[in-house]
Amino acid sequence: MIRICICGGGSLAHVCAGVLSFQSEVEVNIFTRQPERWSQHIIVTDHEGKTYKGNLNVISNNPQEAMHDCNIIFLCLPGFAIESTLECIKPYIGNAVVGSIVCSTGFFFTAHRVLGNNARLFGFQRVPFIARTTKYGHAANLLGYKPQVSIAVENMEDKEEFRKIVESLWMTPTKLLHSHYEASLTNSNPILHTGRIYSMWKDWNGELYSHNILFYKEWTVEASKTLIAMDKEFMQLLDVLPVTPGAIPSLLEYYESHDAISLTEKIRSIVAFQDITSPMKEVDGGWIPDFESRYFTEDFPYGLKIIIDLAKENNIHTPNLKKVFEWGMSKCMKMSET
């Protein structure tokens, strides 16, 4: 029996809880600030109608209770919550392996600082599922599976055996990475989200939109041009870090494209992305950007910032990354002042 404690209550936590607890040889605990909102039973439905009905073992805001006898402690948390959660659970980790479903917001760097360099860690380069909560603590939708995921693993005697466990648990072909940099540095959310948002609203002056823009289905060539420019600088950074060539493909490679037009067509066509909306909120008369969304509060100060800082440390010139970062941070700071 594998016992897993999931820390967090977002969409990915819901889907992982359902998919993992559905499996007969897995017990799932939930460590959450809001245990009263969770049911002992969770239902996850995928985009083809397949249903995972799981039973949760322990649901608690007490870390000692939630971590008891667990083999794996799995963080499904926004970047700002990683350090405080690791500090909270540190006394109760024992021999468990600690992992994160998102590493691009600093999981490995923070875990090294809080838990020490000998901690047994793992983390995904990209999330295995596209997820949305439908009823908090009760149900979620699994909007799409990844054909393959990659994980970084540290301080484990048999990394290959652990890779097999992850592959089985998350039901997705899984590849081992060579260093935590290969999981921590991604051109997914920190570049994909921030570049798209910048292209959408860099000149926004308060006008209303008639609808919530579909983030991917209404993707633009301008967004693709911004993305390609940012990604080129990101690739230059990877060249000077301990990253295996090809471990982190360029965005053009990843999306099997060759220029801004083909990239735009590819992103617009991805079925699992069709219904995903933009970080916007409805107001009287229309829609406006939501600068309090995690696309701003996480992807700029925790995702893109790591890339910016490493580029600075390694003397890599990144005018496009810096331009997008400074614009996004200006929006985050304005919201924090209100």
Side-chain angles (χ1 to χ4, degrees):
M1 180 68 70
I2 295 177
R3 294 181 176 86
I4 301 172
C5 178
I6 294 176
C7 303
S11 296
L12 285 166
H14 280 71
V15 168
C16 287
V19 169
L20 294 172
S21 63
F22 171 78
Q23 300 171 50
S24 60
E25 296 301 312
V26 180
E27 282 186 357
V28 173
N29 295 352
I30 301 292
F31 177 52
T32 172
R33 293 174 301 167
Q34 305 178 86
E36 72 283 354
R37 295 184 64 190
W38 283 78
S39 168
Q40 292 292 149
H41 311 287
I42 187 163
I43 298 175
V44 172
T45 306
D46 76 7
H47 59 293
E48 294 181 343
K50 180 178 179 179
T51 299
Y52 301 91
K53 295 182 179 180
N55 297 313
L56 302 177
N57 184 39
V58 173
I59 303 165
S60 177
N61 57 7
N62 181 326
Q64 185 173 15
E65 183 179 16
M67 312 288 153
H68 182 67
D69 273 349
C70 285
N71 312 106
I72 297 173
I73 297 169
F74 192 55
L75 309 188
C76 293
L77 296 167
F80 67 81
I82 289 176
E83 182 166 7
S84 60
T85 300
L86 289 177
E87 291 283 6
C88 176
I89 69 174
K90 183 178 178 179
Y92 313 108
I93 291 173
N95 293 321
V97 177
V98 181
S100 178
I101 199 162
V102 175
C103 293
S104 60
T105 54
F107 166 71
F108 278 98
F109 302 110
T110 305
H112 292 160
R113 187 170 64 253
V114 175
L115 304 181
N117 292 326
N118 295 321
R120 299 201 299 162
L121 307 172
F122 78 101
F124 286 87
Q125 184 187 66
R126 289 175 182 259
V127 297
F129 308 131
I130 301 167
R132 285 293 178 271
T133 303
T134 52
K135 184 179 180 183
Y136 189 92
H138 293 74
N141 287 339
L142 199 169
L143 303 179
Y145 303 86
K146 296 293 174 66
Q148 177 179 286
V149 294
S150 299
I151 59 169
V153 176
E154 291 190 332
N155 300 318
M156 293 189 216
E157 289 185 8
D158 195 337
K159 293 182 178 181
E160 172 58 20
E161 180 61 27
F162 189 77
R163 183 202 65 78
K164 291 178 182 178
I165 291 171
V166 170
E167 186 170 83
S168 174
L169 288 171
W170 275 271
M171 303 182 302
T172 305
T174 302
K175 184 176 77 171
L176 277 175
L177 298 169
H178 291 87
S179 79
H180 72 268
Y181 284 101
E182 295 175 5
S184 303
L185 298 174
T186 175
N187 42 13
S188 183
N189 291 10
I191 290 178
L192 191 79
H193 284 179
T194 59
R196 166 65 163 148
I197 289 170
Y198 174 81
S199 71
M200 292 168 74
W201 294 318
K202 67 181 186 298
D203 298 319
W204 184 70
N205 59 9
E207 70 267 23
L208 296 175
Y209 294 86
S210 62
H211 67 290
N212 189 324
I213 300 165
L214 292 172
F215 196 76
Y216 298 100
K217 191 175 182 179
E218 296 182 73
W219 195 274
T220 65
V221 173
E222 181 186 0
S224 291
K225 289 179 179 178
T226 300
L227 226 63
I228 291 169
M230 295 171 70
D231 196 44
K232 184 177 180 180
E233 296 169 359
F234 175 68
M235 288 292 140
Q236 291 171 355
L237 170 63
L238 298 186
D239 286 342
V240 302
L241 294 174
V243 172
T244 306
I248 305 173
S250 71
L251 286 170
L252 286 176
E253 288 179 81
Y254 184 79
Y255 287 110
E256 300 173 323
S257 306
H258 59 273
D259 60 12
I261 293 175
S262 58
L263 179 60
T264 302
E265 292 172 351
K266 176 69 174 184
I267 291 176
R268 285 179 176 177
S269 70
I270 299 172
V271 174
F273 290 177
Q274 294 294 293
D275 297 328
I276 297 176
T277 54
S278 296
M280 303 179 75
K281 57 185 178 182
E282 192 170 12
V283 295
D284 289 342
W287 294 78
I288 61 172
D290 181 4
F291 297 117
E292 295 181 280
S293 160
R294 66 179 178 84
Y295 285 69
F296 285 93
T297 61
E298 180 160 345
D299 292 332
F300 285 98
Y302 292 94
L304 188 50
K305 186 178 188 300
I306 292 172
I307 297 170
I308 294 289
D309 288 347
L310 283 170
K312 186 176 180 180
E313 288 174 18
N314 289 277
N315 298 312
I316 303 298
H317 187 51
T318 56
N320 291 288
L321 289 168
K322 188 176 179 182
K323 174 179 64 180
V324 172
F325 175 71
E326 290 178 350
W327 173 83
M329 289 303 297
S330 72
K331 301 301 179 185
C332 294
M333 286 186 284
K334 283 182 181 178
M335 290 309 301
S336 67
E337 292 168 1
T338 58

